[in-house]
Amino acid sequence: MEQLISNPLLTSLSDGLLSAGCIKFGEFTLKSGLKSPIYIDLRQIITYPKLLSDIAQAYLPLLSNLQFSRIAGLPYAAIPIATAISLSGNYPMIYPRKEVKEYGTKAEIEGEYHFGETVVVIDDLATTGGSKFEAIEKLTGAGLVVKDVAVLVDRQSGARESLEKEGYSLHAVLTIGQLLDHWEGTGKVEKEKIIQTRKFLKGG
């Protein structure tokens, strides 16, 4: 059992993610072809302004302990989240493009930044850490320094360990374990679905 969610903002956020359909239970085929009893799609949050605002507030305590000049939102799911954080915490924001522009400035990174500045990478979800490394490479290639990655949900599928191995720290607002414990405790998700999901996440 993980540390229970006791903070009222995180409690309301956990339930908000469920009611907004950002986290669903059932049977879903993942990109890898695996059948999963849980599906997390945080792109839905853009339709819920209050939820998006609460999410931004939940990142602020994580960021207040870090030293940095700007935040870097990862396309596409985390750009609305990073924008909301930027507005809530008054942090300047940039983002690495998925595709480099073939015209105009041909920018790889949008927004103003200066060589040698430290940026915190903002993403929605951490699974294995793979997509984070691609983004970090673009940012460091432009002369920026990356030490920390902040996400809303850590799926606890190896991202923390793979990032740490390369010298980066992962900070998560919530872990999937905490969410499952919370929903089990409140009865918002059937116990059988919680058990199936825990088993799947353990690789069983």
Side-chain angles (χ1 to χ4, degrees):
M1 177 88 53
E2 299 204 31
Q3 189 182 354
L4 284 169
I5 303 169
S6 53
N7 176 320
L9 173 64
L10 295 185
T11 302
S12 126
L13 195 55
S14 307
D15 295 337
L17 290 170
L18 194 61
S19 59
C22 295
I23 300 179
K24 295 184 173 84
F25 292 87
E27 192 182 289
F28 309 93
T29 304
L30 302 179
K31 203 163 150 185
S32 60
L34 277 177
K35 293 260 190 290
S36 170
I38 187 170
Y39 188 66
I40 305 176
D41 180 8
L42 298 174
R43 288 171 178 81
Q44 298 288 333
I45 57 172
I46 56 172
T47 312
Y48 301 89
K50 173 71 171 71
L51 180 59
L52 184 54
S53 170
D54 286 351
I55 285 168
Q57 288 299 320
Y59 273 83
L60 298 183
L62 300 183
L63 297 173
S64 67
N65 298 319
L66 307 176
Q67 299 290 318
F68 61 97
S69 302
R70 296 167 202 280
I71 58 173
L74 299 197
Y76 294 100
I79 288 182
I81 294 174
T83 305
I85 295 168
S86 169
L87 293 168
S88 297
N90 196 30
Y91 296 122
M93 174 187 156
I94 59 174
Y95 67 89
R97 292 179 63 91
K98 256 194 189 295
E99 308 85 11
V100 179
K101 269 163 80 171
E102 295 298 327
Y103 54 90
T105 58
K106 299 191 175 177
E108 279 207 18
I109 297 168
E110 297 292 358
E112 186 189 313
Y113 59 91
H114 307 287
F115 188 90
E117 282 181 331
T118 298
V119 297
V120 174
V121 170
I122 304 288
D123 208 356
D124 59 338
L125 197 60
T127 305
T128 60
S131 60
K132 314 286 181 282
F133 290 119
E134 287 170 40
I136 289 169
E137 206 174 301
K138 275 188 186 167
L139 294 163
T140 54
L144 293 161
V145 177
V146 178
K147 296 175 185 166
D148 300 282
V149 176
V151 299
L152 179 62
V153 179
D154 177 6
R155 268 190 74 119
Q156 298 172 299
S157 302
R160 183 179 297 276
E161 295 75 11
S162 63
L163 284 162
E164 275 175 5
K165 201 172 156 193
E166 299 300 324
Y168 306 108
S169 299
L170 179 68
H171 310 271
V173 173
L174 293 159
T175 65
I176 195 68
Q178 284 177 315
L179 289 167
L180 293 173
D181 289 349
H182 170 70
W183 293 326
E184 182 178 32
T186 57
K188 288 195 184 276
V189 177
E190 292 163 40
K191 195 169 177 65
E192 187 51 42
K193 288 180 178 173
I194 298 273
I195 292 166
Q196 277 179 349
T197 303
R198 283 203 186 107
K199 194 177 169 196
F200 173 78
L201 293 169
K202 278 191 180 136

